Amino acid sequence: MVQYSLAVWLSLSPFGTAYLTSTHGAPIAIAVYASLGTITAVAFLLLGLSLSRRNVDVEVVRRVTRSRQPKSAIAILINLSAVPLAFVSKPLAFALLSLPALAYFLLDKRVEL
C-alpha cells in the first residue's frame, strides 16, 4: 500500500514543475514544489521502512534501505525548510531544493553494486 502512495506523489511532480515554470519561479509555486518534494520524501521514507520490516531475513535489502533512511530524513527537512524560505529568498530556496536531488545521485559507500 505504501508503494501506491509514493507513486501518487511522484505522479504529481510534473504538475508542480509545470506550475513552477509557468509562474517563472513565483514564491507560492516554489512553496508548492517544495511541499510536493516533502510529501514524496516522506512516502519514500515510509516505503523504505516498510521494505526493511518485510525483509528481515534478507540482509542486503535491510542494509540498503537502512542506509537510505538518513538521506530521506534529511531530504524531508531540507524540502520542508524550503517552503517558508521561498517567500524570503527564491535563490536560496532553489539551492536548498537541489541538495536532496544531488544527495541521491551520490553513491553510498556502504552499499555494494
Side-chain angles (χ1 to χ4, degrees):
M1 199 61 155
V2 178
Q3 67 272 19
Y4 297 125
S5 173
L6 179 61
V8 166
W9 295 114
L10 280 174
S11 69
L12 291 176
S13 63
F15 297 107
T17 305
Y19 180 52
L20 184 64
T21 57
S22 69
T23 60
H24 304 290
I28 189 70
I30 299 171
V32 167
Y33 185 79
S35 298
L36 281 173
T38 302
I39 295 169
T40 304
V42 168
F44 187 74
L45 178 65
L46 292 176
L47 179 63
L49 291 172
S50 175
L51 285 173
S52 173
R53 282 191 206 119
R54 290 178 188 227
N55 295 298
V56 177
D57 307 355
V58 185
E59 183 61 32
V60 174
V61 174
R62 289 187 61 215
R63 189 171 26 141
V64 169
T65 56
R66 297 242 173 154
S67 70
R68 295 210 174 186
Q69 287 174 1
K71 278 187 184 178
S72 296
I74 292 170
I76 291 168
L77 293 175
I78 290 174
N79 282 328
L80 199 57
S81 64
V83 173
L85 192 60
F87 297 100
V88 178
S89 171
K90 292 190 317 184
L92 194 55
F94 278 128
L96 277 179
L97 287 173
S98 66
L99 289 178
L102 291 174
Y104 280 106
F105 282 114
L106 298 176
L107 290 177
D108 194 350
K109 304 279 190 245
R110 295 171 288 189
V111 179
E112 294 179 16
L113 297 175

